[in-house]
Amino acid sequence: MVERVKTGIPGFDEILNGGIPKRNVVLLSGGPGTGKTIMASQFLWNGLQMGEPGVYVALEEHPVQVRVNMKQFGWDVKQYEQQGVFAVVDAFTGGIGEAAKREKYVVKDPTDVGELVDVLRTALKDVNAMRVVIDSVSTLYLTKPSVARSVIMSLKKVLSGTGTTSILVSQVSVTERGFGGPGVEHAADGIVRLDLDEVDGELIRSVIVWKMRGTSHSLKRHPFEITDKGIVIYPDKVVKTRGVVG
Amino acid sequence: MVERVKTGIPGFDEILNGGIPKRNVVLLSGGPGTGKTIMASQFLWNGLQMGEPGVYVALEEHPVQVRVNMKQFGWDVKQYEQQGVFAVVDAFTGGIGEAAKREKYVVKDPTDVGELVDVLRTALKDVNAMRVVIDSVSTLYLTKPSVARSVIMSLKKVLSGTGTTSILVSQVSVTERGFGGPGVEHAADGIVRLDLDEVDGELIRSVIVWKMRGTSHSLKRHPFEITDKGIVIYPDKVVKTRGVVG
Amino acid sequence: MVERVKTGIPGFDEILNGGIPKRNVVLLSGGPGTGKTIMASQFLWNGLQMGEPGVYVALEEHPVQVRVNMKQFGWDVKQYEQQGVFAVVDAFTGGIGEAAKREKYVVKDPTDVGELVDVLRTALKDVNAMRVVIDSVSTLYLTKPSVARSVIMSLKKVLSGTGTTSILVSQVSVTERGFGGPGVEHAADGIVRLDLDEVDGELIRSVIVWKMRGTSHSLKRHPFEITDKGIVIYPDKVVKTRGVVG
Amino acid sequence: MVERVKTGIPGFDEILNGGIPKRNVVLLSGGPGTGKTIMASQFLWNGLQMGEPGVYVALEEHPVQVRVNMKQFGWDVKQYEQQGVFAVVDAFTGGIGEAAKREKYVVKDPTDVGELVDVLRTALKDVNAMRVVIDSVSTLYLTKPSVARSVIMSLKKVLSGTGTTSILVSQVSVTERGFGGPGVEHAADGIVRLDLDEVDGELIRSVIVWKMRGTSHSLKRHPFEITDKGIVIYPDKVVKTRGVVG
Amino acid sequence: MVERVKTGIPGFDEILNGGIPKRNVVLLSGGPGTGKTIMASQFLWNGLQMGEPGVYVALEEHPVQVRVNMKQFGWDVKQYEQQGVFAVVDAFTGGIGEAAKREKYVVKDPTDVGELVDVLRTALKDVNAMRVVIDSVSTLYLTKPSVARSVIMSLKKVLSGTGTTSILVSQVSVTERGFGGPGVEHAADGIVRLDLDEVDGELIRSVIVWKMRGTSHSLKRHPFEITDKGIVIYPDKVVKTRGVVG
Amino acid sequence: MVERVKTGIPGFDEILNGGIPKRNVVLLSGGPGTGKTIMASQFLWNGLQMGEPGVYVALEEHPVQVRVNMKQFGWDVKQYEQQGVFAVVDAFTGGIGEAAKREKYVVKDPTDVGELVDVLRTALKDVNAMRVVIDSVSTLYLTKPSVARSVIMSLKKVLSGTGTTSILVSQVSVTERGFGGPGVEHAADGIVRLDLDEVDGELIRSVIVWKMRGTSHSLKRHPFEITDKGIVIYPDKVVKTRGVVG
């Protein structure tokens, strides 16, 4: 029987029939404002509560802001960082600025995937990581879509080599169908898409698991909400308003 | 509890559940004629009435015209400029022309984002700015879409470093869905979109808050009007005529 | 109260709530056969009848043909040219040909926007112009869309500097939505679109004012006709057949 | 009152309110199999019957084939060529081949618009042409769409200079809306489009006059047939099945 | 009266009102799996039965496979090759391989259209060909769409010079409307399109004659089947499910 | 009568009227998560059960992972590798890593199609292969679509030369219609498409055989499921929800 990682996100483990199969590299794809960062952070925080160390690779925000954003949901990671079971990899500041100097894991040149992989590998080992979030992988190939697949492949080799279960945040434009391009979509072990759609003048949030290697899963689109305690998915409800392919 | 900046725009604070969370960088996106400049100016003017200094970065219009445009709505900023609590950064004239010589904050080469950032930083400090408008950021990458994200990131670092709350005006074509491209959309803390749509031979104005970090907000599309006193949003009404994703 | 320029075109001043606000640079956008040149010429001719001098910049037709075209509607500009209150700027012939030698304002190299601006400035001053038509601005960036915005900006600086009210004719393909691209649309003070649409096997003409700085205006799409006396707009009727955004 | 050229094509002069205004350069646009060459040839043949000399510029077919094609409809141009009132300009063979050696007007390098214009000018003068067909202008810019407008402009200068009324055949793909691109559409004095559309499993032929300078015209889409005597248009019938703008 | 070539394909001559007019160059266009190669082979085979020699230019398959494919429908061309009334031009192997060495007509460099034309000319002369199939012409410009028209023109000159009636197979993507691009569509004397469309979960085959110089023809879309004896078209039935223009 | 290869996949041989005709090169096309790899692996495994040796070319996954993935469905290939009737060609690792050193068939440079063909040829000969899977061919031209056809042609020559029946996995984006581009689609002997479509908030799996040389086949879209024993197709049911052409 397949070993699983519990996300602890209300409703999410249910639609995954028990959690994410261990070692899977999951693409978490969605447009702006859909809640990708919140879901990814919640996945890490819940891991810490279950005794599973984690690493957050920050490519879009200052590491300080990452911690502030998590704290807004009551997820204060400071103690876990001190215990050495949680780490933020700073791939944002380039090591520039006072705050950046206090960071332990810094990628000097965030456009250098090789360096990113090296720093990530160190962080994974130091905290003995079981969960990883990279937010976002899209940044790594935003201006060079032709390298997207090889970037994903490089990350996948590190991540699968160390036995972690990981979420790669994939940013798509609000007008973009799909999950980030063929090279990326086919390389991932799992694909989860978050959507924010306007229906009759109202924005509706929904999540669909498009693919998850190693397990069956709900094939339905479920509504979810962003509460002040994080994301809550409703596994018993279905949203019929959109098709990802259209 | 999150600290907020009141926009003072009738109806807008209601749909934001109290105002824009402080320090947020908000993308104000819309096609031609949708009222972006009016809403952004109104945000600054209302700030001045509440004792909050502001800076307007003019990339599309002559600074003189910016003041004339505001005055048409009864917003005469002259006294505030004299008091040193309001500034217009001239990133339009390149310092050429008689009128330009009377401007205090001039970006000689508006295509040089580095210089823009430097002048902006000075202006922010001089007036002790709490609110900023950049009208428009699109101009900065109109002919070079690949640098859009890095331009936004540069601005975001200055703005968040100084603690201001800012509105970045994003021009999209009348035929363009989305808010200005993935690099821009994902970098912003908030996204507000203004629309002008033809329905049965009549133009309809509406606003929708797509994303706003740090607060819940109305998930509905609301109608608004441009009156001779500025924008008025109707938080109790919903417009059902369009989806941003189409 | 805003100063206005009467177009004198039946129905047009009504839907503009009194005319075009003075000094506005208006984009007159439409596909082939929609009547842009007729409307623009009518604007100039009516100005001459009200004692307001004008300049027509001919980029698409031989200056001789421009005068012939106007005469077909009974608008004989010869006397006004002799009185020095009307001028045609020849940006078509390049000064080549017998007829061209009789023209007073000739742009030798119509691809040189700088020269165009210089000749235009001279003509504006000579006739003391209050109205200007440039037919069409699209020609100036047809093969170089990336310079569209800077061309419009250059023209706008000359035109607003001299206090004229101007119409820039913008040619769009019959299949093209929008008004000529984001750089152009956002730079204009006003946008008027003429449409020719096939509905149930019949061509329908309509006009819509999408944007007009400094005044409220009809937000409806109105039918119009091309008669042998020029354009006649029906402000009391609405055409429901198309949305510009589509 | 405007001088007109009778096309002599059954139904066509009716929907043009009497014929094509003299000197107009008309774009005859349509997909493959729509009957453009037949209509253009018929225009020339009918001219010959009314004593109006004509020139056919062959860019798509061997001059011999052009004559054969016309003969299939009973239009034998041989005698008119011998009388010196009709000419075929061979811009197809490049002067290569036995048959080509018997041609009087040969464009050696059909990609050289300058040479084409020179040969055309000679032919126009020799036969004292009142009607011209260029079949097709699309060939002249098929691989260089950016020069389309300047090619049309060059032709227009020759044609209008000699006082002829002309039809420029414009080939569009079966999937292409519009008439051949903005540069071409706006340069023409008239636009006539022929369509072949599949409706419920059956092909329907229709014609619409989109634009015709100097005259009012039918604003309806009319059905037509290709008979063994050429094209017959039904001015009293309307086809409601398609909109050119879609 | 026009001379015709009988295709002998059940139903096809009926919808062509007697067959393909002699010397016509017909584009046979369709997506993958639509039956283009079968129809083209059947045209050649039926010619052989009527005493009309033919040539098959193989650009997509090994000549051996071409013969095998035909044999599957009972069309064994061996005897005809031995009699010198049928030939396969090998423009596939480049002359490499044992089997290729047994081929009589080999194009060494299939990307060299000049060589292809030379070999084709020889084969046409040797067998005294009255029918030709080129399968497919698309291969000749797959990576260089800009040369498509000139390739078609080169072939057309050879084919029409020798008096053959020919079918040029044109491959289009399953998602592609049209027949292979404007340069190709307008150069052909005839256009026949085969379609395979999914309707309510079932694939439907249909054929439509879009254009055929020198004859009137059915303007309807007819269903057809691929049987073990080749293609059978149903001239009395109509398929209403798709429009080629969409 | 055509010789066939039984796929052994429940329902698949039925819709193929008995199996895949021997020596056919079949394109198995689908978006992410549609089950392509599972179906291709099942085809090989079932072959082993019937005594038909096979080769799996791994371009997307580590050879070790390929075996693990198959084992999840109960398909343990180890014994067959030891017996020398099954081989995995490692075109993934480039020979780097401990595990890779234990692989027998390694393509050092997976971007070198020539080397891939050589290694493949050796493996085919060693195991006396009757079935081959290449997963995926898309990887070979992901960044160079213009070489797609020549890559497919190279593979086809090797595969058809050795008499194997093969499945080429073709990855398409979730938003992509068609099967991988015209050059690929037309080169394949068969095309099978797997789809995953959202209908009213639920994901539906379906398979359609678009083309299969040498046999008639179901022309319907059939539903299928991915069970813990592999794919099960329902030949008696039809899915009406999508058209591949759209």
Side-chain angles (χ1 to χ4, degrees), chain D residues 114-172:
Chain D
E115 193 201 345
L116 175 68
V117 161
D118 288 343
V119 177
L120 173 56
R121 205 188 305 260
T122 305
L124 292 178
K125 202 174 155 194
D126 285 0
V127 308
N128 209 6
M130 298 180 69
R131 301 183 183 208
V132 179
V133 162
I134 300 180
D135 187 0
S136 70
V137 289
S138 310
T139 304
L140 299 171
Y141 43 77
L142 197 61
T143 57
K144 300 163 287 181
S146 66
V147 304
R149 185 178 177 277
S150 70
V151 166
I152 295 294
M153 283 301 185
S154 300
L155 291 173
K156 206 174 154 179
K157 281 173 191 174
V158 183
L159 296 169
S160 64
T162 56
T164 59
T165 304
S166 52
I167 288 181
L168 309 190
V169 173
S170 172
Q171 300 177 342
V172 296

Side-chain angles (χ1 to χ4, degrees), chain B residues 205-218:
Chain B
R205 296 187 191 283
S206 63
V207 59
I208 191 162
V209 179
W210 195 262
K211 165 177 165 183
M212 191 59 69
R213 176 166 296 172
T215 181
S216 59
H217 54 85
S218 168

Side-chain angles (χ1 to χ4, degrees), chain A residues 71-99:
Chain A
K71 209 170 172 180
Q72 286 182 340
F73 291 94
W75 309 329
D76 189 345
V77 293
K78 203 189 299 171
Q79 48 166 327
Y80 297 96
E81 290 195 87
Q82 288 162 351
Q83 294 168 23
V85 295
F86 183 72
V88 177
V89 171
D90 171 8
F92 180 79
T93 66
I96 294 161
E98 281 310 303

Side-chain angles (χ1 to χ4, degrees), chain A residues 12-244:
Chain A
F12 199 26
D13 293 321
E14 284 88 328
I15 68 177
L16 288 169
N17 291 357
I20 300 173
K22 214 176 155 178
R23 285 174 178 257
N24 268 7
V25 174
V26 177
L27 202 68
L28 179 58
S29 174
T34 51
K36 299 177 299 299
T37 294
I38 298 172
M39 179 179 262
S41 302
Q42 198 169 355
F43 167 74
L44 287 181
W45 173 257
N46 290 344
L48 294 176
Q49 307 314 302
M50 302 175 206
E52 303 187 359
V55 169
Y56 185 105
V57 182
L59 283 143
E60 301 285 325
E61 291 281 351
H62 197 293
V64 170
Q65 187 65 35
V66 166
R67 296 182 188 100
V68 168
N69 290 343
M70 290 186 73
K71 209 170 172 180
Q72 286 182 340
F73 291 94
W75 309 329
D76 189 345
V77 293
K78 203 189 299 171
Q79 48 166 327
Y80 297 96
E81 290 195 87
Q82 288 162 351
Q83 294 168 23
V85 295
F86 183 72
V88 177
V89 171
D90 171 8
F92 180 79
T93 66
I96 294 161
E98 281 310 303
K101 283 177 190 146
R102 286 190 292 272
E103 296 298 325
K104 191 170 174 190
Y105 303 99
V106 180
V107 182
K108 290 274 160 59
D109 178 1
T111 69
D112 178 349
V113 175
E115 193 200 347
L116 175 68
V117 162
D118 288 343
V119 176
L120 173 56
R121 205 189 303 262
T122 305
L124 291 178
K125 203 174 154 193
D126 285 359
V127 308
N128 207 7
M130 298 181 69
R131 303 184 181 206
V132 178
V133 163
I134 301 179
D135 188 1
S136 71
V137 289
S138 310
T139 305
L140 298 171
Y141 43 78
L142 197 62
T143 57
K144 300 165 287 182
S146 65
V147 304
R149 186 179 175 276
S150 70
V151 166
I152 296 294
M153 282 300 183
S154 300
L155 292 173
K156 207 176 154 178
K157 280 173 193 175
V158 183
L159 296 169
S160 63
T162 56
T164 59
T165 303
S166 51
I167 288 180
L168 309 190
V169 173
S170 172
Q171 300 177 341
V172 296
S173 175
V174 74
T175 57
E176 189 180 341
R177 302 300 186 148
F179 314 115
V184 173
E185 298 160 1
H186 288 275
D189 298 311
I191 298 176
V192 175
R193 176 153 174 148
L194 303 185
D195 281 300
L196 184 58
D197 292 298
E198 185 175 344
V199 181
D200 286 344
E202 185 156 8
L203 293 172
I204 304 294
R205 295 187 192 281
S206 63
V207 58
I208 192 162
V209 179
W210 194 263
K211 164 178 167 182
M212 191 58 68
R213 177 167 295 171
T215 180
S216 59
H217 54 84
S218 169
L219 292 172
K220 292 176 178 161
R221 178 178 289 277
H222 300 281
F224 74 90
E225 285 182 329
I226 299 177
T227 72
D228 55 8
K229 287 174 183 161
I231 281 174
V232 177
I233 296 174
Y234 300 98
D236 297 336
K237 291 184 183 162
V238 178
V239 172
K240 303 192 173 183
T241 54
R242 92 127 57 172
V244 171

Side-chain angles (χ1 to χ4, degrees), chain B residues 124-142:
Chain B
L124 292 178
K125 203 174 155 194
D126 284 1
V127 307
N128 208 6
M130 297 180 70
R131 302 183 182 208
V132 179
V133 163
I134 301 180
D135 188 0
S136 70
V137 288
S138 310
T139 304
L140 298 171
Y141 43 79
L142 197 62

